[in-house]
Structure formats: C-alpha cells, structure tokens
C-alpha cells in the first residue's frame, strides 16, 4: 500500500482520537474518557476535519433533565411504542406528567391509562381519554404543553401540523411520513415550528445514543477521511401481525395491524429501515439523488407490503449507498451500518484504518460506569425536555424527513421497477391517505395514477406492470 494512501495512526491519535479521549465525551456533560484507542508508528499526514467543531449539533446527553417549569404532556397513539414513549418521557425528568391520552380505540387508551395508574400513580380521568380518528385534536386542545405522537405513521404529518398550529412542542416517533404529500407537510410544519420557537425531537434514537454521537464526532473530525460509500442493513425476522377478528371492519383491522400495510406504515423500508438510512444521511450530510432497487413478498402473513428490499442509492455527490432490509423468519440477521472513507472505515462503534487496524472504539463499559442513564429512548426525552426548559429551540423533523424520503424513494423504485429521483419524489402527488377512511364500512384505495380502485387487502405492487394490473 502506498504511504500517501494509508492513515498515520500516530498522527490520527494526536490530532483526532486523542482529542476525543482527552476531552472525554464533549457536549454530553462529562469529561470522562469513553473511547479506547490503539497506536503504532506512522507518518505525519494531517487529518482534515469534515466539519469544524461548533458547526454541527451535538446533544447534551446527561442522565436526567434539569429541573424547571412543570410540563403537561398528551400522548397521541397508545399502542406499544406510544406506551413505551410515555414511560421514557416520565423517566426523563422531575416535574412532568401526562394529562391526556388519545387513540383510535378505547382499549388502547384504557390500557395505557391503567398502566400509568399502576406504575406511576398518574390518574387519567375519563374526560381526558379521547377516542377516534380525531382524538389527536382533543388531546392537543386539552391544555397540554407538549405532545408525544406515536400513531401509525400515515397520521403523523397531520398530527404534527395541528400541534404546531396550536403552539405545542412535539416528539414525533419515526417514521414521520409515508408518502410525498406527507413529506411536504412535515417540512412545512417543521419550518413553522422553527418560526414559533418550538422544540421538536424525533424518534431516531441513534441521535441520542452516546456511541453513535461519539462516532459522528470522530467522523466529523476526519477520522475516516472523506466518505466514499456505505452499506446499511436491517435484516431481521418476521414482525408482529394481528389476525382479523370477525367483528372488525376493514379500517379497524388494518389500523390494528398497521405495521403490515403500506398506506399506514410506509412498508418496512420506511417504518424500520429508516433508522439505518438516517445514520448515513446524518453522518454524510447528503441527500439521495436517485434510487434503483427491487424487493418482493415471500412469506408475509397479512398486509399488502413486501418483506425484502435491496436498493442502490446514488447520493448528491455521486457516491453510492447500498441499502438492504428484510423481515423474514428463520433467516440470518444483520442490523448495522458500514461507512467507507479515504482514510479508513466505521462500523458501530469502531474505526479502522485502511489496513484494517482498529484505531478507535467507543467504550460501552466506561459509559455504563459513568452514567446512570444509557437508554437512548429515554435520553431523547431528556434532551427534548432540556431544550424546552432552557428556551433553546430544537427542530429535528426536517433532518429526519431526508432519511424518510430516501426510504420512500427506495420503496417506490422496488414497487415499480423504475428509478426514482429526489426531485421527482419530493414533488410527486403520491398520497396514501384513503379518501374514504372509515372504521365501519368497506374501504377502497385508488391505484397510483391509474384512476382504478382496489380493495386495500388485494393491492400488492408488481414491478414492471401497470399499476391498474397490480393485484394479488
């Protein structure tokens, strides 16, 4: 290997990794070293930062939010993630409570209310338990200071828009949209939130994982050089599903089984794999220029979406990102990211030089010894509350929207067999919200641009065929 193409680990330690160790976990409220490094001889080649310190955001990941103004929260979406987020919020600070709950279904609201009473002694009265498709408005209008939005992703742009209109701080679970119309609504609401000095944090919890944050800082310091490409994975087993009860309408069944329906979840490339896409768009600062890929439906039990995708993204500077995701039982799993640079490579949470030598590693044991709180799902609420109480606005929705749109681009390319572009998709009329969403009657949905209607449970995309011919 030529000398000019290899990283000097001694120089690297002097200029980058050592600074990270000596300074500890800068921006996280601690001066303790949370990295381990290896050293050997090398040359004097300088490490050039990708971004200068202070020009990019680093959260202050302390154990517990600072005391301050009492805050009342409302939870919109009381299923598994909404319930989890509610307790993450309550574990993040003193002087906070939950005063209103909303969900499409009574049993979901009552289930979370019972759990809040049992575990936190928080009593949600009957007149603060709101039911139905418009429950979000009632929660937001109930006198809360902030809202936790954890409904099926289809609804999140609408709920965010109303929260901003009413001046409420918002925590938005990921993904934050499922189509182009929702994307544009999120971006517009994010701009308005900034104008109104609101605090908006999203559920891309890796932004509040100390290992990822420290990795990001190392990469910004130039540890792997210029980013030249990446591969990301979310390959896991089959996700949960709900069998249809005889008394459920089309709408009720699909909303209860939402994670298996494209119009509600965005498909798993959007709903789940957005985490890995977000890591790359965050670390690189790049948007995708185009996407070309494929996917298929092999063993999914319910719903109308695919269970695997493979997408080649070309980023706006010409480098390639390979994205792979799968939800099929009894298959090999991989949930990770790999980023290649001109000086070395990164995987969570390790940096290697071009020869494959480990030169930096985040120390999880040191983190656990130093901090009481290491759960990123809770730390995102700690950070959110600290921003609210300090009066320093934060707005993460527009950044999350980039990764979200990348996932939508990949999905639409796989569904159609055609290349998609950023310009095409961000301006597209694609709107998955059913015109006749109803919890009682039968439902239909229009095919993409075909003008033909399909029963939602019969509509499965077939690449290369006109949308009007796409049925199971």
């Amino acid at each position: 290997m030529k000398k000019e193409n290899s990283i000097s680990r001694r120089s690297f330690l002097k200029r980058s990794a050592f600074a990270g160790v000596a300074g500890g976990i800068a921006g996280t409220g601690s001066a303790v070293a949370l990295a381990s490094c290896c050293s050997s001889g090398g040359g004097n080649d300088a490490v050039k930062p990708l971004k200068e310190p202070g020009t990019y955001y680093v959260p202050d990941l302390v154990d517990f939010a600072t005391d301050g103004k009492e805050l009342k929260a409302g939870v919109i979406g009381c299923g598994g993630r909404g319930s989890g987020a509610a307790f993450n919020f309550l574990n993040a600070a003193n002087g906070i409570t939950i005063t209103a709950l909303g969900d499409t279904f009574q049993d979901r609201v009552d289930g979370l209310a019972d759990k809040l009473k049992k575990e936190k002694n928080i009593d949600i009265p009957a007149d603060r338990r709101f039911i139905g498709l418009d429950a979000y408005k009632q929660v937001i209008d109930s006198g809360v200071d902030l809202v936790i939005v954890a409904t099926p992703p289809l609804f999140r742009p609408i709920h965010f828009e109303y929260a901003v209109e009413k001046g409420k701080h918002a925590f938005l679970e990921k993904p934050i949209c499922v189509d182009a119309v929702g994307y544009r609504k999120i971006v517009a609401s994010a701009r308005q939130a900034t104008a109104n000095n609101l605090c908006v944090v999203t559920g891309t919890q890796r932004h509040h994982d100390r290992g990822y944050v420290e990795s990001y800082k190392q990469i910004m310091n130039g540890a792997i050089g210029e980013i030249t490409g990446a591969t990301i994975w979310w390959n896991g087993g089959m996700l949960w599903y709900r069998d249809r009860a005889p008394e459920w309408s089309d709408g009720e069944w699909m909303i209860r089984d939402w994670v298996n329906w494209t119009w509600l979840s965005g498909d798993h490339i959007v709903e789940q794999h957005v985490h890995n896409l977000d890591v790359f768009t965050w670390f690189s600062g790049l948007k995708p220029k185009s996407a070309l890929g494929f996917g298929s439906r092999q063993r999914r039990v319910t719903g109308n979406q695919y269970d695997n995708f493979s997408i080649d993204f070309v980023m706006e500077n010409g480098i390639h990102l390979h994205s792979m995701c799968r939800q099929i039982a009894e298959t090999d799993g991989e949930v990770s990211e790999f980023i290649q640079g001109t000086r070395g490579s990164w995987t969570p949470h390790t940096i290697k030089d071009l020869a494959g030598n480990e030169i930096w590693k985040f120390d999880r044991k040191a983190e656990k010894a130093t901090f009481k709180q290491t759960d990123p799902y809770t730390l995102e609420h700690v950070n959110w509350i600290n921003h609210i109480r300090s009066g320093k606005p934060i707005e993460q929705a527009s950044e999350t929207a980039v990764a979200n749109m990348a996932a939508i681009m990949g999905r639409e390319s796989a569904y159609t067999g055609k290349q998609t572009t950023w310009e095409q998709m961000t301006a597209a009329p694609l709107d998955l919200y059913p015109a006749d969403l109803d919890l009682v009657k039968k439902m239909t949905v229009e095919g993409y641009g075909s003008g033909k209607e399909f029963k939602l449970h019969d509509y499965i995309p077939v690449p290369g065929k006109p949308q009007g011919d796409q049925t199971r």
Side-chain angles (χ1 to χ4, degrees), residues 232-284:
I232 57 175
W233 306 265
W234 194 304
N235 294 335
M238 182 178 68
L239 218 57
W240 61 267
Y241 64 93
R242 301 281 184 267
D243 287 325
R244 183 171 187 166
E247 67 273 15
W248 290 348
S249 66
D250 286 354
E252 179 167 358
W253 174 42
M254 287 184 283
I255 292 175
R256 289 186 181 276
D257 188 44
W258 66 268
V259 79
N260 296 288
W261 299 91
T262 299
W263 66 283
L264 284 160
S265 74
D267 210 317
H268 68 97
I269 189 175
V270 175
E271 197 280 324
Q272 187 178 68
H273 191 43
V274 69
H275 279 302
N276 313 100
L277 286 162
D278 169 71
V279 169
F280 185 71
T281 56
W282 170 29
F283 279 28
S284 70

Side-chain angles (χ1 to χ4, degrees), residues 215 224 345-352 358-362:
S215 295
I224 67 171
S345 63
W346 170 87
T347 56
H349 300 288
T350 301
I351 292 175
K352 296 181 179 181
E358 183 179 293
I359 56 175
W360 180 88
K361 186 178 181 66
F362 182 74

Side-chain angles (χ1 to χ4, degrees), residues 121-443:
N121 198 31
I122 294 175
D123 187 19
I124 308 295
D127 64 354
R128 289 294 183 269
R129 302 183 189 189
F130 303 108
I131 313 301
L133 293 173
D134 63 349
Y136 72 98
K137 290 184 177 180
Q138 297 167 298
V139 171
I140 292 169
D141 293 339
S142 69
V144 298
D145 303 300
L146 47 93
V147 290
I148 296 168
V149 180
T151 51
L154 170 79
F155 303 110
R156 289 173 193 166
I158 299 170
H159 298 172
F160 181 40
E161 180 181 55
Y162 192 74
V164 171
E165 178 185 326
K166 295 296 183 176
K168 309 300 182 184
H169 306 290
F171 174 82
L172 306 177
E173 256 308 338
K174 61 78 205 167
I176 54 179
C177 59
V178 299
D179 53 35
V181 171
Y183 165 81
R184 292 193 292 272
K185 193 179 293 290
I186 287 287
V187 171
S189 297
R191 291 196 188 105
Q192 191 59 50
T194 298
N196 294 350
N197 293 320
L198 297 174
C199 295
V200 181
V201 167
T202 61
T204 47
Q205 75 274 1
R206 285 163 173 78
H207 285 255
H208 294 90
D209 180 308
R210 293 189 184 95
Y212 276 93
V213 171
E214 288 301 299
S215 295
Y216 174 70
K217 288 163 61 179
Q218 291 293 329
I219 290 174
M220 292 305 99
N221 287 341
I224 67 171
E226 296 289 336
I227 294 172
T228 58
T231 302
I232 57 175
W233 306 265
W234 194 304
N235 294 335
M238 182 178 68
L239 218 57
W240 61 267
Y241 64 93
R242 301 281 184 267
D243 287 325
R244 183 171 187 166
E247 67 273 15
W248 290 348
S249 66
D250 286 354
E252 179 167 358
W253 174 42
M254 287 184 283
I255 292 175
R256 289 186 181 276
D257 188 44
W258 66 268
V259 79
N260 296 288
W261 299 91
T262 299
W263 66 283
L264 284 160
S265 74
D267 210 317
H268 68 97
I269 189 175
V270 175
E271 197 280 324
Q272 187 178 68
H273 191 43
V274 69
H275 279 302
N276 313 100
L277 286 162
D278 169 71
V279 169
F280 185 71
T281 56
W282 170 29
F283 279 28
S284 70
L286 298 170
K287 295 186 178 81
K289 181 179 180 180
S290 66
L292 181 61
F294 54 85
S296 64
R297 180 186 176 91
Q298 302 289 334
R299 293 171 55 191
R300 210 160 193 93
V301 178
T302 67
N304 69 336
Q305 60 191 48
Y306 285 0
D307 54 23
N308 62 93
F309 291 88
S310 179
I311 312 293
D312 174 46
F313 290 96
V314 180
M315 308 307 289
E316 53 191 340
N317 67 347
I319 69 174
H320 285 250
L321 164 67
H322 180 213
S323 153
M324 184 190 301
C325 57
R326 180 180 61 207
Q327 289 181 347
I328 300 179
E330 300 175 352
T331 59
D332 288 345
E334 177 73 19
V335 180
S336 189
E337 304 88 23
F338 171 85
I339 299 178
Q340 182 65 54
T342 54
R343 288 177 168 271
S345 63
W346 170 87
T347 56
H349 300 288
T350 301
I351 292 175
K352 296 181 179 181
D353 65 19
L354 294 175
N357 302 303
E358 183 179 293
I359 56 175
W360 180 88
K361 186 178 181 66
F362 182 74
D363 192 334
R364 286 291 187 193
K365 290 183 179 180
E367 181 195 20
K368 291 179 180 179
T370 304
F371 294 97
K372 296 178 180 178
Q373 184 57 262
T374 59
D375 175 25
Y377 292 94
T378 300
L379 289 172
E380 55 194 9
H381 290 272
V382 170
N383 191 41
W384 183 38
I385 294 166
N386 274 339
H387 274 275
I388 294 170
R389 284 180 166 169
S390 67
K392 297 178 181 178
I394 180 175
E395 189 282 287
Q396 292 187 327
S398 56
E399 183 178 20
T400 303
V402 174
N404 211 144
M405 176 49 68
I408 293 169
M409 288 170 60
R411 180 195 71 204
E412 292 301 304
S413 177
Y415 278 8
T416 63
K418 305 293 184 181
Q419 184 184 67
T420 59
T421 67
W422 179 268
E423 289 77 10
Q424 168 198 7
M425 290 305 305
T426 55
L430 180 61
D431 184 356
L432 300 187
Y433 203 102
D436 61 346
L437 180 56
D438 194 289
L439 297 179
V440 178
K441 66 181 183 179
K442 294 287 185 181
M443 291 174 55

